[in-house]
Amino acid sequence: MVKPIYVLSGPNLNLLGVREPEIYGRDTLADVQTRVEARAKAHGLSVVFRQSNHEGQLIDWVQEAREAGCALVINPAGYGHTSVALLDALKTLAIPVVECHLSNPAAREDFRRTTYVSLAATGVVSGFGAASYELAVEAAAGLIGPATPQA
Ligand code: CA2
């Protein structure tokens, strides 16, 4: 059984497609999940797709991914700019970590230029709307190599 790619989304991303479409696009998080699952399936991989508005919940899922996941894709949303605790959890992972953002935080307000999560990320995909998630899963699939069943 090949371990899944964990795809985690942080606070307020449950509102995707509902509010601020000019910044974050019209795709809902359910649309993103469908696209991400299809992209993973093309590589013979599955996805655990979760969203939370709570920092501790995201940290619990990161810890779960240490044993249960083959890679982690995370859009930490606002917590990327604030959470040393989330960074500490990510630094415990031995699997690839791909940070993704719908927008390009570097092209927005100054406070979005500091992203703690990037310090633990293998790489970052930003600025492509919902496609950022698909590209991040594509990158994660490339980092883990061909899907081979594990004991
Ligand atoms: O561009 C991204 O994906 C962000 O991670 C989104 C975060 C923001 O704090 C980061 O700087 C960049 C905000 C997520 C808020 O999500 C919403 C979605 C729809 C409507 C309102 C908020």
Side-chain angles (χ1 to χ4, degrees), residues 6-140:
Y6 273 62
V7 180
L8 303 183
S9 297
N12 299 306
L13 288 165
N14 54 309
L15 299 176
L16 203 59
V18 180
R19 303 283 302 274
E20 300 188 67
E22 66 285 359
I23 301 175
Y24 299 115
R26 296 197 178 279
D27 285 309
T28 65
L29 203 56
D31 296 331
V32 173
Q33 179 171 359
T34 300
R35 290 167 64 165
V36 154
E37 286 173 348
R39 188 63 74 111
K41 194 173 174 191
H43 291 277
L45 295 165
S46 62
V47 162
V48 168
F49 192 94
R50 296 179 183 158
Q51 184 275 335
S52 179
N53 293 328
H54 304 281
E55 187 176 16
Q57 179 65 85
L58 291 164
I59 290 167
D60 284 346
W61 289 338
V62 168
Q63 291 187 11
E64 181 182 310
R66 289 180 71 226
E67 298 295 331
C70 67
L72 177 77
V73 170
I74 184 163
N75 182 349
Y79 286 141
H81 310 302
T82 64
S83 180
V84 174
L86 185 56
L87 167 63
D88 288 342
L90 290 167
K91 283 170 74 174
T92 70
L93 298 182
I95 56 176
V97 175
V98 183
E99 178 182 355
C100 84
H101 297 279
L102 299 151
S103 66
N104 177 4
R108 300 178 63 191
E109 302 97 323
D110 281 352
F111 66 84
R112 296 187 200 278
R113 295 198 181 143
T114 299
T115 309
Y116 291 113
V117 164
S118 298
L119 295 169
T122 313
V124 184
V125 181
S126 296
F128 301 102
S132 289
Y133 277 82
E134 288 181 81
L135 293 167
V137 164
E138 193 69 38

